[in-house]
Amino acid sequence: MKALEIVETGPQALVQDLGRPGLAASGVGRSGAADRAALRLGNRLVANPEDAAGIEILLGGFAARATALLTVALTGAAAPAMVDGTPVGHHALILLRPGQELRLGPPPAGLRTYLAVRGGVDVAPVLGSRSTDVLSGLGPPKPEKGHELPIGPEPPTFPLIDVAPVAPPPAGLVTLRVVAGPRDDHASDPRGLAGTIWAASARTDRVGMRLEGATLAVPEGAGSLPSEGITRGAVQLPPGGEPVVFLADHPVTGGYPVIAVVADADVDRASQIRPGQPVRFRYS
C-alpha cells in the first residue's frame, strides 16, 4: 500500500479537500482547504482531480516519509523544504523514493502550505468529504506522529508541467476587496471598516481572522438578530467592535450583524494572513 508516514506534524497538519458543499441546510458547514487555490494548484501539478485530498500544514515543522515511490507538490506558503537534506522547490514536482523524508521549515510569509500527493490522500470520507472541520469535529482525525496516511491509485492522466510560476503569499499589507453585507444597517458606521488599517490578531484560526487595532461603533441592541447562515468571507461585527472575517470552518452568525463580505477571489489570500500582519479593506 502506498502511504505517507507522518514523522512530525508541526503546529497543525490536517487532511483537506474542497469540503462538503450543499449540506448547510442540515447544519453542516462546507469546511475544506483554507486556501482553496493552493490545494487546487497542487493537485493540478500532480495531475489529480482538483478536489483530491491533500495535507494542509500550518507554519511548517512538518515531516513525512514515503513508503513507496510518490510524486508530490508543495503550494501555498513557501516553507523551506528538503528531501533527505537536499533543498527542493515549491510549485514544482517532487519525487519521493521509498524511505525518503520530506521536511518543511517555517515559511517566511503566509500561514499554510499544501502537500498534494499524486493519487490523493485516501482516508475514509465523512459525509462525502475527507476534510477535517476543526469547529464541528467532522472529518478524519488529525494526523499524528507515526500515522500512515494511505495514498489512492494514481489517476490515468500525467503531469503536464514541472513547475508553476506562482508568487508566494505577501508578507506586508494585504488589501481585501469587500461588498456591503446583508446587515450593514445594523452597524453605526459600516464603511468605517475601510477607513482603518487592521491587524490580524493572535486568535486567528481556520474559523476566522479576528481583527484588532481599532473598534467600530456598535449600536445598542446589536447582537439580537436571529442567527443566520453565512458564507466564507463574511465580516461580522461582534459587540466589542473588532470585526471577524469568517474562514473555512465558520459557524452561523450567532445574532451579530454581517456588515460586509470579502470577495470570494480574495478569501484564499485572507486565509494566509499571519497574526500581526496588517490588513485593509476596499469596497468594490
Side-chain angles (χ1 to χ4, degrees):
M1 180 185 72
K2 289 186 175 183
L4 266 179
E5 179 190 353
I6 303 300
V7 178
E8 301 287 348
T9 62
Q12 186 180 74
L14 300 171
V15 176
Q16 295 290 346
D17 56 19
L18 292 181
R20 304 177 179 82
L23 298 176
S26 301
V28 178
R30 176 156 184 162
S31 187
D35 185 343
R36 300 158 296 180
L39 178 67
R40 288 187 175 113
L41 174 60
N43 278 326
R44 289 201 302 273
L45 280 166
V46 299
N48 283 344
E50 286 191 345
D51 61 352
I55 305 176
E56 180 181 276
I57 300 157
L58 180 69
L59 289 172
F62 173 90
R65 186 179 296 118
T67 68
L69 185 65
L70 297 176
T71 302
V72 305
L74 295 165
T75 56
M82 293 189 294
V83 173
D84 284 355
T86 300
V88 294
H90 275 244
H91 309 125
L93 295 178
I94 302 169
L95 195 63
L96 294 180
R97 293 183 170 80
Q100 283 193 313
E101 183 177 292
L102 172 67
R103 184 169 288 273
L104 302 183
L111 278 177
R112 297 176 171 93
T113 302
Y114 291 83
L115 172 59
V117 186
R118 183 166 163 77
V121 177
D122 195 24
V123 296
V126 177
L127 295 179
S129 169
R130 296 179 170 86
S131 285
T132 298
D133 185 327
V134 299
L135 185 64
S136 70
L138 273 177
K142 297 177 182 178
E144 301 288 350
K145 183 176 181 179
H147 285 180
E148 286 195 354
L149 297 180
I151 305 302
E154 294 192 356
T157 53
F158 293 94
L160 297 176
I161 58 173
D162 295 331
V163 62
V166 177
L173 176 65
V174 176
T175 300
L176 301 175
R177 294 167 294 173
V178 294
V179 296
R183 305 295 178 192
D184 67 339
D185 56 336
H186 286 253
S188 299
D189 180 22
R191 294 279 170 157
L193 182 70
T196 298
I197 301 294
W198 304 90
S201 84
R203 295 175 294 146
T204 292
D205 55 21
R206 280 180 50 87
V207 175
M209 178 174 60
R210 293 158 176 83
L211 301 172
E212 59 187 13
T215 57
L216 296 180
V218 179
E220 187 176 350
S224 60
L225 294 167
S227 287
E228 299 174 298
I230 53 172
T231 185
R232 186 186 301 215
V235 183
Q236 189 184 62
L237 186 61
E242 293 182 322
V244 180
V245 180
F246 281 124
L247 300 176
D249 292 348
H250 64 80
V252 295
T253 59
Y256 305 127
V258 172
I259 62 170
V261 180
V262 176
D264 189 65
D266 288 359
V267 175
D268 290 338
R269 283 196 295 136
S271 75
Q272 293 285 6
I273 295 172
R274 300 169 75 129
Q277 193 168 349
V279 184
R280 70 182 171 195
F281 297 92
R282 188 182 72 222
Y283 280 87
S284 56

